[in-house]
Amino acid sequence: MNRHGTRVPAGGFSFASPLVEAALQPISDALRPACQGRPARRIALVESTFLNYADVCPVMLFSTYTFLLVFLPLTLAVFFLLGRLHWRWSTVWLTACSLVFYAWWKPEGNQPWTPWFLILIVASCSGNFLCGNAIARSSNPARRRALVTLGVAVNLLMLFYFKYLGIFATWSHALTGWPQAVPHLVLPLAVSFFTFLQIAFLVDVYRGDPTDYSFGDYLLFVTFFPHLIAGPIVHHRELISQFRPRITKPSPRCLAIGCTVLAIGLFKKIVIADGLADTATPIFQFAATATRALTLGEAWVGALAYSLQIYFDFSGYSDMAIGVSALFGIRLPLNFNSPYKATSIIDFWGRWHMTLSRFLREYLYIPLGGNRCGPLRRYTNLMLTMVLGGLWHGAGITFVLWGTLHGLYLCINHAWRGLRKSLGWRPMPAALAGLLTFVAVVCAWVPFRAGNFELAAAGNAQLAWHTSARFYQAMLLPPHGPLWTPVTDGDIMKVQRAIRPLISGLLIAFLLPNTQQFLGRFSPHFRAAREPAYQRRRWWGWRPIPLAAAFVFILLLVVTLEMDRGGEFIYFQF
Amino acid sequence: MLHRPFSRFLRWFTALLGTYLVITAILSTSVDPWRINATPWASSSLDASREISQDRRVGKAALANRGTWQAVIIGSSRLEIGIDPTHPALPPHRCVNLAMTGATLLENLTVASYALERNPQLKTLIFGIDPGDLHSASDSRNSNHFYQSPFADNNHSIERDINQIIGWHSFTESIETLRRHWQGQRPKFSPLGQMLQPGDHENLRTFVESMPLDGAADQWNLRPQILQQHKAERLAEFITRVRQLGIAMYIIIPPQHALKQIHPTEDRPDAMGWERDLLALREICTAANASAAPAPPVQLWSFLSFNAFTAAPMPVPGAPCQAVPGWFDLGHAGSALGNQVLDTLFAGRPGATAVASPVGVNLLDAQWQAIRAAWIEAHHDFCVSHPQDAAWWRSLVARAAKAQATAHSPN
């Protein structure tokens, strides 16, 4: 019997081909968890296999009734009421609510609540604000350089301590036998996000950007709850410039548009992404538990389903963040622009998690030298940026693999582009280029998803690594036997469970307009100065009419229907 | 002017959303499909139509929350199906069955603590432990069903409360409850928590043949298994706490059909089935009883025995009726045997029917060697008197063992 209560086939499961296994064995042995104690890790997805009651962490999700019917209406109502007294009271209230939103998180389900993480984020904000002010006030270049180095180093050390100490200690133990034990560290919620925001702030101050902010504005910029725990990674200039008296006057326009974008985000997350998770999760669990080999069909369905799941999950979250923020009259930057419609990997990274790409480009790739120091240095910088980007997503070997794959893709893409231009070749047909890009991205998501088995409480790096290997084995060199429906547990590949959600997801991702296209000129995202606000009206575009109100209501009704699932957002773990 | 279309949009949107929320809230609180809201205006006439089979952890938590129970039954599906809370030996209208399908020891201890905290008049606790649980790492709290129920102390109570009032599931369950009420359809669970209609297997033999039979190795100590120390400690702590509260606790190992108890090859084995578990429980209870407490000593009863009920013969292949009376499957007996269990537990109490021969044995009363010898003798007698049934069962166990060995072979 397997853990799903279904029979395991007689004959068992043979792991990937001996060649692949032999190649992986040394790495796998090195990754075998040997340390006493547990490295810093936190349950991200509620995986039935690895779910541990004591490890489930309550977070106030946008997709909960508590948030939608209690926290948000209360925050909004008091925000506008206080705005009648003075707009500053409203921003103080918003900051307080954002801190409550953050403090709602309880890192370990069976442990009492602790103010430690609230103190940590406020202390981090205070320290960075003071450091930024000291840099701004100083006219001595050496002192400015020393201060910014210190500030960035402290931020990175904090991130390293909470997020990476465990994994590096595990690796060190596997290689050298030291240290004997790793303390159990809890990864503070959103530490990666608020650290990046503040590093960008310090670097910009050092570069001479005008940053005459009050501490209240700065604290609200970092802790503003719509973007606090999973982005978008906003820039201080984008957000603080909007903290003005006008936001405290309730605007029917902002409320109508905000509700619409919030409803679309909820639909993407709860209906589409969680529906696709029902297809992807059991397939990845089969690969992880190795109860049997995956068929070719299962492996591709699993990889495609997860690729769509993570897109709808994260873009849904970003929509919700933009929608919630719009209710307060504040615009957040776009994070997604139909990334699977990209025709190259370079294009993909201009459409996927756009605010992270921007951060990595401006604060890592360009300072490293970017493309200004010759091709070799450029490719090195690209690889380094993407590997660190992978590591940012998760302290695990498979996240490094994901980053490395994307680094390689980018190098190949740049090299190909250079070669094509030098030889005078025409670009590849867009459909073929799009298909190639999509397949490359799907393949890279496999180790990314397998990384969950490393982050889960009962998981380890070896398990994540083997899961990826088993997946690639089935996708590229399927074992003898059925190619599509497995002999046992065939329910996974049933049309209504696998094919229908997958095709629906693909059609929505490739054929339907994205949220900002649907909203058109009403889209509430933060626009760069060069971006035109006006877009052509389409017959299918959103407009403030009763039919659109009914549409939004129906979206919410379908969301309510699916809301009992109670999944978490994938990007909370980062 | 500029705001007029947006204001109209908002008016329509809030009207639609508000109407839905108000209708759902009124319906859910007045129908109260899982008895969880307990609002003053909830209709009592619907009680016989409320169904908790899909959300039993929510429904049972609601029952536990009532605060008036004097006796509580806790355990897995074996007790959920078999133990009738309306048995005359139990306090009338003051006993509830909180046993739940799939519940293992740690979840049951959590449920018992939950019931204890909310029912100050509690006097009797019947606590079922499935054989093998103490040596198994499985923890049924690691499931979404538990996580989403009030039994889980995970700070999700606000979310759960709102969900139970305006959630779509509450809305549809309310409609279903009304439909059952109007059509006079009975639910699968009694208002006191017992599962009444576990479902029929028209052909029990075929059903059993399709089920995995992978427990023999643990049952007969054929592979090493370690006692789950944390489970044993939690159980010991709980017994001590219950005794300090003056509550009479009965730990029972629920009955199984005789076929599920026999050795895979031996008619006269040299040990009892699940002997490790029984001994560990005996040790835990003996230690807990050693301390002084206002309550009587905890009792430990095993109903893994061979008697007229458990030794009911399998139907003859090809016979028109392929069911075994009183058994849902070979691991779940109905109330007929459950009543015998209660009559045995409460022998001599008002309401308990005198039993000619007890269907279980008090593991703390008698000498272990005597219990063991009697059990092995009864095992032998059953195997000799039911040779065809025993052979059929052993062939299934052998087939399962072979499949398992193949599955775990290196290639």
Side-chain angles (χ1 to χ4, degrees):
Chain A
M1 278 281 283
N2 64 23
R3 63 188 77 250
H4 303 286
T6 42
R7 279 170 180 274
V8 174
F13 170 70
S14 171
F15 176 52
S17 71
L19 193 68
V20 177
E21 193 165 12
L24 292 175
Q25 201 55 51
I27 306 169
S28 139
D29 288 345
L31 299 176
R32 201 183 298 275
C35 284
Q36 297 161 0
R38 285 168 49 197
R41 56 173 54 127
R42 188 167 68 79
I43 281 270
L45 284 173
V46 180
E47 299 261 13
S48 60
T49 313
F50 296 96
L51 174 68
N52 186 315
Y53 163 61
D55 280 348
V56 174
C57 336
V59 182
M60 194 191 286
L61 304 172
F62 288 165
S63 55
T64 56
Y65 292 116
T66 316
F67 176 81
L68 293 168
L69 295 177
V70 181
F71 182 84
L72 184 60
L74 186 70
T75 307
L76 208 54
V78 178
F79 177 78
F80 290 132
L81 278 176
L82 289 175
R84 292 182 175 186
L85 301 176
H86 192 278
W87 74 278
R88 271 292 170 199
W89 284 109
S90 293
T91 56
V92 169
W93 166 254
L94 202 51
T95 311
C97 289
S98 297
L99 292 174
V100 168
F101 181 83
Y102 186 79
W104 195 268
W105 173 63
K106 213 171 79 166
E108 288 174 298
N110 59 348
Q111 297 295 316
W113 181 85
T114 165
W116 160 240
F117 298 100
L118 192 61
I119 293 168
L120 181 80
I121 190 171
V122 174
S124 168
C125 291
S126 310
N128 280 291
F129 181 75
L130 290 174
C131 184
N133 270 1
I135 296 168
R137 278 199 306 272
S138 173
S139 54
N140 180 344
R143 184 179 156 78
R144 286 168 65 86
R145 182 182 289 269
L147 280 170
V148 74
T149 308
L150 178 73
V152 172
V154 169
N155 277 300
L156 290 178
L157 269 175
M158 187 178 76
L159 191 60
F160 178 83
Y161 176 77
F162 285 114
K163 192 164 179 175
Y164 302 107
L165 186 66
I167 192 82
F168 282 110
T170 307
W171 291 349
S172 161
H173 178 89
L175 296 171
T176 66
W178 180 87
Q180 279 299 312
V182 182
H184 171 51
L185 296 173
V186 174
L187 179 66
L189 187 64
V191 68
S192 306
F193 287 94
F194 69 73
T195 304
F196 270 28
L197 294 188
Q198 303 193 89
I199 288 176
F201 167 73
L202 292 180
V203 173
D204 286 345
V205 177
Y206 174 71
R207 286 172 178 170
D209 276 14
T211 51
D212 50 341
Y213 309 136
S214 69
F215 179 66
D217 281 349
Y218 181 79
L219 189 61
L220 180 56
F221 146 67
V222 179
T223 61
F224 184 45
F225 72 88
H227 76 74
L228 174 60
I229 51 179
I233 301 174
V234 287
H235 197 277
H236 51 93
R237 276 195 302 269
E238 290 169 346
L239 203 56
I240 298 181
S241 63
Q242 297 183 63
F243 299 157
R244 294 288 174 264
R246 64 173 176 77
I247 60 168
T248 57
K249 293 194 177 78
S251 148
R253 180 189 170 102
C254 290
L255 292 173
I257 294 170
C259 287
T260 304
V261 179
L262 176 61
I264 292 172
L266 283 167
F267 185 84
K268 277 185 181 178
K269 156 68 189 160
I270 291 173
V271 180
I272 307 178
D274 288 356
L276 285 159
D278 286 348
T279 306
T281 303
I283 297 177
F284 273 89
Q285 281 183 353
F286 267 124
T289 51
T291 44
R292 62 168 172 77
L294 298 179
T295 65
L296 176 79
E298 276 181 312
W300 277 101
V301 164
L304 283 168
Y306 181 67
S307 304
L308 293 169
Q309 183 203 341
I310 192 170
Y311 166 58
F312 285 112
D313 186 288
F314 193 22
S315 78
Y317 179 87
S318 296
D319 284 350
M320 283 182 236
I322 291 171
V324 170
S325 187
L327 296 174
F328 295 91
I330 293 170
R331 289 168 181 261
L332 294 183
L334 275 186
N335 227 8
F336 286 88
N337 185 19
S338 301
Y340 291 150
K341 292 178 187 168
T343 53
S344 69
I345 290 292
I346 299 170
D347 187 20
F348 174 80
W349 279 103
R351 293 161 174 263
W352 178 275
H353 205 171
M354 292 148 71
T355 55
L356 176 68
S357 305
R358 177 179 67 177
F359 179 90
L360 291 175
R361 187 178 61 244
E362 290 183 11
Y363 299 99
L364 185 61
Y365 177 68
I366 292 175
L368 282 170
N371 56 3
R372 302 185 304 275
C373 310
L376 186 65
R377 181 72 182 273
R378 174 200 208 168
Y379 295 138
T380 310
N381 292 341
L382 272 176
M383 284 301 296
L384 199 61
T385 304
M386 294 314 292
V387 168
L388 289 175
L391 206 54
W392 177 85
H393 279 88
I397 188 72
T398 47
F399 293 99
V400 175
L401 177 60
W402 175 79
T404 309
L405 276 174
H406 272 281
L408 274 174
Y409 291 164
L410 281 170
C411 291
I412 292 168
N413 198 167
H414 279 288
W416 167 254
R417 185 186 275 185
L419 183 71
R420 186 175 60 73
K421 281 184 179 165
S422 64
L423 295 174
W425 292 350
R426 283 192 302 175
M428 207 183 278
L432 181 62
L435 183 68
L436 263 179
T437 307
F438 183 61
V439 170
V441 170
V442 168
C443 288
W445 283 130
V446 169
F448 191 94
R449 173 62 177 80
N452 279 341
F453 297 115
E454 189 173 356
L455 295 179
N460 59 62
Q462 195 191 28
L463 183 63
W465 189 259
H466 280 179
T467 304
S468 308
R470 286 180 198 121
F471 242 89
Y472 285 138
Q473 163 83 5
M475 286 167 88
L476 304 172
L477 303 163
H480 294 297
L483 288 178
W484 186 257
T485 307
V487 178
T488 55
D489 308 304
D491 281 1
I492 289 177
M493 294 298 282
K494 275 187 176 167
V495 169
Q496 69 270 28
R497 179 144 179 197
I499 310 306
R500 206 173 291 164
L502 198 60
I503 290 180
S504 309
L506 286 168
L507 289 176
I508 295 170
F510 282 96
L511 298 183
L512 290 191
N514 59 35
T515 309
Q516 57 271 23
Q517 287 167 334
F518 177 60
L519 268 290
R521 66 197 171 105
F522 298 110
S523 179
H525 67 270
F526 184 86
R527 289 177 172 83
R530 61 181 180 279
E531 190 182 345
Y534 178 76
Q535 289 178 18
R536 193 156 59 92
R537 285 181 74 169
R538 306 273 189 179
W539 64 266
W540 41 259
W542 184 88
R543 62 206 67 184
I545 53 173
L547 191 65
F551 170 73
V552 174
F553 170 69
I554 290 167
L555 281 187
L556 287 178
L557 212 55
V558 181
V559 164
T560 315
L561 201 139
E562 296 287 319
M563 222 152 154
D564 289 342
R565 291 167 178 272
E568 274 193 24
F569 294 100
I570 292 176
Y571 260 67
F572 275 15
Q573 66 186 299
F574 313 131
Chain B
M1 276 300 281
L2 191 65
H3 283 164
R4 191 170 295 165
F6 294 102
S7 299
R8 194 173 53 164
F9 174 97
L10 282 176
R11 273 200 303 275
W12 272 89
F13 177 65
T14 44
L16 287 167
L17 192 63
T19 308
Y20 165 76
L21 292 176
V22 168
I23 289 176
T24 311
I26 290 173
L27 197 64
S28 302
T29 53
S30 48
V31 173
D32 199 7
W34 305 294
R35 308 180 181 90
I36 198 85
N37 296 318
T39 44
W41 58 90
S43 170
S44 56
S45 64
L46 293 171
D47 204 40
S49 306
R50 293 186 173 113
E51 176 64 280
I52 59 168
S53 60
Q54 297 297 317
D55 308 270
R56 66 189 63 177
R57 278 160 177 77
V58 174
K60 298 247 167 161
L63 282 175
N65 227 357
R66 203 169 284 179
T68 55
W69 305 116
Q70 293 175 359
V72 166
I73 299 153
I74 285 166
S76 69
S77 53
R78 300 178 206 284
L79 276 77
E80 184 178 40
I81 295 169
I83 304 295
D84 181 3
T86 62
H87 187 278
L90 294 166
H93 309 296
R94 289 286 178 270
C95 177
V96 65
N97 187 329
L98 299 180
M100 295 177 299
T101 298
T104 58
L105 180 59
L106 292 176
E107 182 177 6
N108 284 330
L109 288 172
T110 310
V111 173
S113 299
Y114 186 91
L116 242 61
E117 284 159 17
R118 286 158 180 80
N119 294 278
Q121 300 164 34
L122 201 62
K123 292 281 173 283
T124 307
L125 176 61
I126 300 172
F127 192 88
I129 300 178
D130 280 357
D133 202 341
L134 268 183
H135 285 83
S136 157
S138 75
D139 182 355
S140 58
R141 295 177 307 167
N142 297 338
S143 78
N144 276 344
H145 289 298
F146 176 76
Y147 181 67
Q148 289 169 357
S149 79
F151 290 131
D153 176 23
N154 53 12
N155 285 4
H156 276 206
S157 55
I158 301 173
E159 185 67 16
R160 274 195 297 263
D161 290 347
I162 302 173
N163 191 12
Q164 278 144 14
I165 293 171
I166 56 109
W168 179 261
H169 193 43
S170 305
F171 179 75
T172 51
E173 275 302 309
S174 301
I175 301 282
E176 272 296 298
T177 307
L178 290 174
R179 186 189 60 75
R180 275 192 297 273
H181 180 68
W182 289 326
Q183 293 180 354
Q185 195 181 329
R186 312 312 294 175
K188 289 180 183 165
F189 279 74
S190 78
L192 294 175
Q194 188 190 10
M195 196 201 282
L196 301 174
Q197 305 162 31
D200 263 342
H201 297 297
E202 285 180 4
N203 191 326
L204 187 59
R205 197 179 283 271
T206 315
F207 172 73
V208 171
E209 284 171 357
S210 71
M211 292 297 287
L213 303 170
D214 51 3
D218 297 331
Q219 186 176 354
W220 293 101
N221 205 3
L222 303 178
R223 66 177 173 202
Q225 265 200 314
I226 303 163
L227 177 73
Q228 298 292 317
Q229 205 60 46
H230 67 292
K231 283 189 176 181
E233 283 167 10
R234 288 281 310 277
L235 178 62
E237 282 166 19
F238 180 76
I239 295 171
T240 308
R241 184 177 151 209
V242 165
R243 291 194 65 227
Q244 290 303 328
L245 289 170
I247 297 166
M249 184 174 178
Y250 300 82
I251 297 179
I252 66 170
I253 318 294
Q256 297 195 13
H257 191 276
L259 286 176
K260 289 201 85 167
Q261 300 180 53
I262 63 170
H263 193 276
T265 51
E266 305 289 327
D267 282 353
R268 198 189 294 275
D270 56 2
M272 291 171 74
W274 306 110
E275 192 168 314
R276 277 184 307 201
D277 261 54
L278 302 183
L279 278 170
L281 282 171
R282 196 175 134 98
E283 201 175 309
I284 292 167
C285 293
T286 308
N289 283 340
S291 59
V298 61
Q299 294 195 28
L300 173 64
W301 285 80
S302 171
F303 292 93
L304 296 172
S305 58
F306 299 90
N307 53 58
F309 279 94
T310 57
M314 289 296 289
V316 178
C321 175
Q322 285 293 316
V324 178
W327 289 90
F328 160 64
D329 56 35
L330 299 183
H332 296 86
S335 287
L337 179 53
N339 287 341
Q340 292 276 317
V341 167
L342 292 175
D343 288 335
T344 306
L345 280 186
F346 301 125
R349 260 205 204 178
T353 310
V355 283
S357 59
V359 290
V361 58
N362 187 339
L363 297 179
L364 302 178
D365 266 4
Q367 286 296 314
W368 180 251
Q369 290 307 327
I371 295 170
R372 198 169 185 268
W375 191 90
I376 292 170
E377 200 51 40
H379 178 283
H380 173 260
D381 292 348
F382 173 79
C383 293
V384 172
S385 59
H386 296 72
Q388 285 177 331
D389 287 352
W392 169 71
W393 177 261
R394 283 168 172 164
S395 71
L396 296 182
V397 173
R399 192 184 68 184
K402 192 178 170 188
Q404 212 165 16
T406 319
H408 288 102
S409 67
N411 199 12

